[in-house]
Amino acid sequence: MTRNEELFARAQKTIPGGVNSPVRAFRSVGGTPRFFTRGEGAHVWDADGRKYIDYVGSWGPLILGHADPDVVAAVQQAAARGLSFGAPTEAEIELAELLVELVPSLDMVRLVSSGTEATMSAIRLARGFTGRDKIIKFEGCYHGHADSLLVKAGSGALTFGNPSSDGVPADVARETLVLDYNAPHALARAFHEHGRDIACVIVEPVAGNMNLVAPRQDFLEAMRKLCDQHGAVLIFDEVMTGFRVGLGSAQGLYGIKPDLSTFGKIVGGGMPLGAFGGRRDIMGKVAPLGPVYQAGTLSGNPLSVAAGLATLRKIRVPGFHEALAAKTRALVDGLQQAARHRGVTFAAQAVGGMFGLYFAPQAPTTYAEVMTADKEAFNRFFHAMLDQGVYLAPSAFEAGFVSAVHGDADLAATIAAAEAVFADLAK
Ligand code: HOZ
């Protein structure tokens, strides 16, 4: 038995599935999850001492790689001054000011402890602001695990959703309309039928939880226009895309100004931190200014704020995101070329520092298309890459992430490993 296997067997006795977040259990790809002992730069080491090039990056936060010395020092210094006060600190203002400066749609922000908390709070705020209950989300987009958001499409083209988890009340799910991603006509129809009841539209402006699906520009533009016409709040869930696809996030990249935005991952630099913010008139409804309640003992935690500030200050240098995007593009181009050499049906695409890999003839644009990709081929690819020392997300339905410290040698080694794996897959 390997040390990873030993730890997994032990973990399953006291932790459901042996993990603290389901996708980590490798259920989608099969096999034993790797238990990590250390990360440095673009690399991680598992409990058996094996080293991997890491393209998960803690699912997005680690845009500077593992254990960036400046981020670690900032956290250490904050920790030495006190772990938590449950009272305001100056650093929270600095982070709020920086967010407002970097993302033009933000007039005000509230710091929370996770992306789930941020989206859950933004939905409540949109409902409180509009006095309406219904929300629109898109099939395949994930916005954390709050009840209103764990909802999948019901039957029929335009129906209210069904819970996608046991424990979510059907009555709550019924308030959520689930539409196809990248389908502006479906959105227009939904507003035509239900416009007066719709509090908000929430969207991942680049979907990253059904593998990576890039948005059609007219889809984003339609939702901005329809929300304006019907008095609904447009929420961009930038937990994944925030500060990753550009310094101004996806809203900067696509030139759309949402009413509210949610952040997580990079904003906390690897520590638990989320944020939601937006228009002043809407944020003015948040307690204690207004009647929409939201609170948290660890909100604005000093260590998380220190890590977030150190990360954002380091990535706001000119050219940072261009270099990250170029590197990510080089990776996906190299992988596509390797697959072509070996005659494997495969596509890949990048948006800024995030990427998607698809065992399909071309990159999908909807959830239905994502579902037609060859999942078995992905699973074989995943395990073969793992054997070659490349750690990809353990699911065909997750995006990948490149950091600023992935070097040319890492990219070349990854592409060479993939070429060998594609050769095997083609046999
Ligand atoms: N929310 C992540 C998947 N898109 C998983 C996070 C984790 O397992 O850490």
Side-chain angles (χ1 to χ4, degrees), residues 20-24 58-59 142 208-209 240 265 397-399:
N20 285 309
S21 190
V23 70
R24 302 179 194 180
S58 187
W59 301 94
Y142 174 74
N209 284 283
M240 213 173 246
K265 301 190 190 285
F397 306 112
E398 299 285 352

PDB file of all heavy atoms in Angstrom, residues 20-24 58-59 142 208-209 240 265 397-399, ligand 1:
ATOM      1  N   ASN A  20     -12.705  16.840   2.252  1.00  0.00           N
ATOM      2  CA  ASN A  20     -13.518  17.958   2.733  1.00  0.00           C
ATOM      3  C   ASN A  20     -14.157  18.763   1.619  1.00  0.00           C
ATOM      4  O   ASN A  20     -14.676  19.858   1.866  1.00  0.00           O
ATOM      5  CB  ASN A  20     -12.673  18.843   3.659  1.00  0.00           C
ATOM      6  CG  ASN A  20     -12.498  18.156   5.016  1.00  0.00           C
ATOM      7  OD1 ASN A  20     -13.466  17.723   5.619  1.00  0.00           O
ATOM      8  ND2 ASN A  20     -11.261  18.006   5.466  1.00  0.00           N
ATOM      9  N   SER A  21     -14.127  18.254   0.400  1.00  0.00           N
ATOM     10  CA  SER A  21     -14.827  18.846  -0.739  1.00  0.00           C
ATOM     11  C   SER A  21     -14.873  17.747  -1.797  1.00  0.00           C
ATOM     12  O   SER A  21     -13.828  17.133  -2.084  1.00  0.00           O
ATOM     13  CB  SER A  21     -14.058  20.081  -1.229  1.00  0.00           C
ATOM     14  OG  SER A  21     -14.803  20.807  -2.165  1.00  0.00           O
ATOM     15  N   PRO A  22     -16.072  17.417  -2.327  1.00  0.00           N
ATOM     16  CA  PRO A  22     -16.254  16.148  -3.046  1.00  0.00           C
ATOM     17  C   PRO A  22     -15.301  15.865  -4.200  1.00  0.00           C
ATOM     18  O   PRO A  22     -14.847  14.735  -4.374  1.00  0.00           O
ATOM     19  CB  PRO A  22     -17.695  16.238  -3.550  1.00  0.00           C
ATOM     20  CG  PRO A  22     -18.367  17.245  -2.701  1.00  0.00           C
ATOM     21  CD  PRO A  22     -17.309  18.200  -2.217  1.00  0.00           C
ATOM     22  N   VAL A  23     -15.013  16.872  -5.044  1.00  0.00           N
ATOM     23  CA  VAL A  23     -14.241  16.576  -6.256  1.00  0.00           C
ATOM     24  C   VAL A  23     -12.841  16.052  -5.929  1.00  0.00           C
ATOM     25  O   VAL A  23     -12.221  15.329  -6.709  1.00  0.00           O
ATOM     26  CB  VAL A  23     -14.202  17.816  -7.190  1.00  0.00           C
ATOM     27  CG1 VAL A  23     -13.359  18.925  -6.628  1.00  0.00           C
ATOM     28  CG2 VAL A  23     -13.741  17.447  -8.592  1.00  0.00           C
ATOM     29  N   ARG A  24     -12.359  16.361  -4.736  1.00  0.00           N
ATOM     30  CA  ARG A  24     -11.025  15.900  -4.326  1.00  0.00           C
ATOM     31  C   ARG A  24     -10.936  14.380  -4.174  1.00  0.00           C
ATOM     32  O   ARG A  24      -9.857  13.822  -4.097  1.00  0.00           O
ATOM     33  CB  ARG A  24     -10.649  16.516  -2.973  1.00  0.00           C
ATOM     34  CG  ARG A  24     -10.645  18.014  -2.973  1.00  0.00           C
ATOM     35  CD  ARG A  24     -10.302  18.556  -1.604  1.00  0.00           C
ATOM     36  NE  ARG A  24     -10.607  19.970  -1.516  1.00  0.00           N
ATOM     37  CZ  ARG A  24     -10.412  20.711  -0.443  1.00  0.00           C
ATOM     38  NH1 ARG A  24      -9.907  20.177   0.644  1.00  0.00           N
ATOM     39  NH2 ARG A  24     -10.716  21.995  -0.451  1.00  0.00           N
ATOM     40  N   SER A  58      -4.824  24.960  -6.208  1.00  0.00           N
ATOM     41  CA  SER A  58      -5.862  25.099  -5.185  1.00  0.00           C
ATOM     42  C   SER A  58      -7.194  25.561  -5.803  1.00  0.00           C
ATOM     43  O   SER A  58      -7.952  26.286  -5.178  1.00  0.00           O
ATOM     44  CB  SER A  58      -5.416  26.045  -4.062  1.00  0.00           C
ATOM     45  OG  SER A  58      -6.377  26.017  -3.030  1.00  0.00           O
ATOM     46  N   TRP A  59      -7.427  25.165  -7.048  1.00  0.00           N
ATOM     47  CA  TRP A  59      -8.655  25.491  -7.785  1.00  0.00           C
ATOM     48  C   TRP A  59      -8.732  26.979  -8.122  1.00  0.00           C
ATOM     49  O   TRP A  59      -9.817  27.556  -8.186  1.00  0.00           O
ATOM     50  CB  TRP A  59      -9.914  25.036  -7.040  1.00  0.00           C
ATOM     51  CG  TRP A  59      -9.916  23.561  -6.802  1.00  0.00           C
ATOM     52  CD1 TRP A  59      -9.475  22.927  -5.663  1.00  0.00           C
ATOM     53  CD2 TRP A  59     -10.307  22.530  -7.710  1.00  0.00           C
ATOM     54  NE1 TRP A  59      -9.576  21.565  -5.809  1.00  0.00           N
ATOM     55  CE2 TRP A  59     -10.092  21.291  -7.050  1.00  0.00           C
ATOM     56  CE3 TRP A  59     -10.827  22.519  -8.996  1.00  0.00           C
ATOM     57  CZ2 TRP A  59     -10.362  20.071  -7.636  1.00  0.00           C
ATOM     58  CZ3 TRP A  59     -11.108  21.301  -9.576  1.00  0.00           C
ATOM     59  CH2 TRP A  59     -10.876  20.097  -8.902  1.00  0.00           C
ATOM     60  N   TYR A 142     -21.730  26.897 -11.751  1.00  0.00           N
ATOM     61  CA  TYR A 142     -21.751  26.575 -10.317  1.00  0.00           C
ATOM     62  C   TYR A 142     -21.453  27.846  -9.550  1.00  0.00           C
ATOM     63  O   TYR A 142     -20.511  28.576  -9.884  1.00  0.00           O
ATOM     64  CB  TYR A 142     -20.698  25.504 -10.022  1.00  0.00           C
ATOM     65  CG  TYR A 142     -20.514  25.185  -8.548  1.00  0.00           C
ATOM     66  CD1 TYR A 142     -21.458  24.437  -7.851  1.00  0.00           C
ATOM     67  CD2 TYR A 142     -19.381  25.622  -7.859  1.00  0.00           C
ATOM     68  CE1 TYR A 142     -21.285  24.140  -6.511  1.00  0.00           C
ATOM     69  CE2 TYR A 142     -19.200  25.314  -6.517  1.00  0.00           C
ATOM     70  CZ  TYR A 142     -20.159  24.581  -5.848  1.00  0.00           C
ATOM     71  OH  TYR A 142     -19.982  24.288  -4.513  1.00  0.00           O
ATOM     72  N   GLY A 208     -16.469  28.005 -15.569  1.00  0.00           N
ATOM     73  CA  GLY A 208     -15.283  27.208 -15.221  1.00  0.00           C
ATOM     74  C   GLY A 208     -15.601  25.990 -14.396  1.00  0.00           C
ATOM     75  O   GLY A 208     -14.705  25.335 -13.878  1.00  0.00           O
ATOM     76  N   ASN A 209     -16.896  25.695 -14.276  1.00  0.00           N
ATOM     77  CA  ASN A 209     -17.279  24.535 -13.469  1.00  0.00           C
ATOM     78  C   ASN A 209     -17.992  23.480 -14.302  1.00  0.00           C
ATOM     79  O   ASN A 209     -18.600  22.562 -13.771  1.00  0.00           O
ATOM     80  CB  ASN A 209     -18.175  24.980 -12.308  1.00  0.00           C
ATOM     81  CG  ASN A 209     -17.368  25.642 -11.208  1.00  0.00           C
ATOM     82  OD1 ASN A 209     -16.692  24.972 -10.425  1.00  0.00           O
ATOM     83  ND2 ASN A 209     -17.410  26.967 -11.143  1.00  0.00           N
ATOM     84  N   MET A 240     -14.038  32.596  -9.863  1.00  0.00           N
ATOM     85  CA  MET A 240     -12.960  31.936 -10.593  1.00  0.00           C
ATOM     86  C   MET A 240     -12.210  32.907 -11.515  1.00  0.00           C
ATOM     87  O   MET A 240     -10.991  32.884 -11.616  1.00  0.00           O
ATOM     88  CB  MET A 240     -13.577  30.805 -11.414  1.00  0.00           C
ATOM     89  CG  MET A 240     -12.697  29.618 -11.587  1.00  0.00           C
ATOM     90  SD  MET A 240     -13.611  28.306 -12.397  1.00  0.00           S
ATOM     91  CE  MET A 240     -13.656  27.091 -11.100  1.00  0.00           C
ATOM     92  N   LYS A 265     -11.252  32.960  -4.157  1.00  0.00           N
ATOM     93  CA  LYS A 265      -9.987  32.467  -4.711  1.00  0.00           C
ATOM     94  C   LYS A 265      -8.876  33.528  -4.688  1.00  0.00           C
ATOM     95  O   LYS A 265      -8.335  33.815  -3.629  1.00  0.00           O
ATOM     96  CB  LYS A 265     -10.225  31.885  -6.104  1.00  0.00           C
ATOM     97  CG  LYS A 265     -11.260  30.719  -6.062  1.00  0.00           C
ATOM     98  CD  LYS A 265     -11.341  29.972  -7.348  1.00  0.00           C
ATOM     99  CE  LYS A 265     -12.503  28.985  -7.399  1.00  0.00           C
ATOM    100  NZ  LYS A 265     -12.331  27.766  -6.631  1.00  0.00           N
ATOM    101  N   PHE A 397     -14.841  17.950 -15.803  1.00  0.00           N
ATOM    102  CA  PHE A 397     -15.753  19.105 -15.768  1.00  0.00           C
ATOM    103  C   PHE A 397     -15.173  20.285 -14.989  1.00  0.00           C
ATOM    104  O   PHE A 397     -15.910  21.094 -14.432  1.00  0.00           O
ATOM    105  CB  PHE A 397     -17.114  18.677 -15.206  1.00  0.00           C
ATOM    106  CG  PHE A 397     -17.687  17.512 -15.959  1.00  0.00           C
ATOM    107  CD1 PHE A 397     -17.810  16.278 -15.366  1.00  0.00           C
ATOM    108  CD2 PHE A 397     -18.034  17.655 -17.295  1.00  0.00           C
ATOM    109  CE1 PHE A 397     -18.296  15.198 -16.082  1.00  0.00           C
ATOM    110  CE2 PHE A 397     -18.519  16.583 -18.022  1.00  0.00           C
ATOM    111  CZ  PHE A 397     -18.651  15.350 -17.416  1.00  0.00           C
ATOM    112  N   GLU A 398     -13.870  20.362 -14.916  1.00  0.00           N
ATOM    113  CA  GLU A 398     -13.226  21.464 -14.199  1.00  0.00           C
ATOM    114  C   GLU A 398     -12.261  22.179 -15.143  1.00  0.00           C
ATOM    115  O   GLU A 398     -11.666  21.557 -16.025  1.00  0.00           O
ATOM    116  CB  GLU A 398     -12.439  20.935 -12.987  1.00  0.00           C
ATOM    117  CG  GLU A 398     -13.296  20.222 -11.959  1.00  0.00           C
ATOM    118  CD  GLU A 398     -14.145  21.151 -11.100  1.00  0.00           C
ATOM    119  OE1 GLU A 398     -13.961  22.386 -11.193  1.00  0.00           O
ATOM    120  OE2 GLU A 398     -14.989  20.647 -10.349  1.00  0.00           O
ATOM    121  N   ALA A 399     -12.086  23.469 -14.901  1.00  0.00           N
ATOM    122  CA  ALA A 399     -11.085  24.228 -15.655  1.00  0.00           C
ATOM    123  C   ALA A 399      -9.705  23.997 -15.027  1.00  0.00           C
ATOM    124  O   ALA A 399      -9.594  23.531 -13.896  1.00  0.00           O
ATOM    125  CB  ALA A 399     -11.441  25.709 -15.620  1.00  0.00           C
TER     126      ALA A 399
HETATM  127  N1  HOZ B   1     -15.258  24.287  -6.111  1.00  0.00           N
HETATM  128  C1  HOZ B   1     -14.179  23.487  -6.653  1.00  0.00           C
HETATM  129  C2  HOZ B   1     -14.616  22.840  -7.910  1.00  0.00           C
HETATM  130  N2  HOZ B   1     -14.905  23.725  -8.954  1.00  0.00           N
HETATM  131  C3  HOZ B   1     -13.695  22.447  -5.694  1.00  0.00           C
HETATM  132  C4  HOZ B   1     -12.949  23.024  -4.588  1.00  0.00           C
HETATM  133  C5  HOZ B   1     -12.131  22.011  -3.775  1.00  0.00           C
HETATM  134  O1  HOZ B   1     -12.417  20.839  -3.801  1.00  0.00           O
HETATM  135  O2  HOZ B   1     -11.242  22.460  -3.103  1.00  0.00           O
END
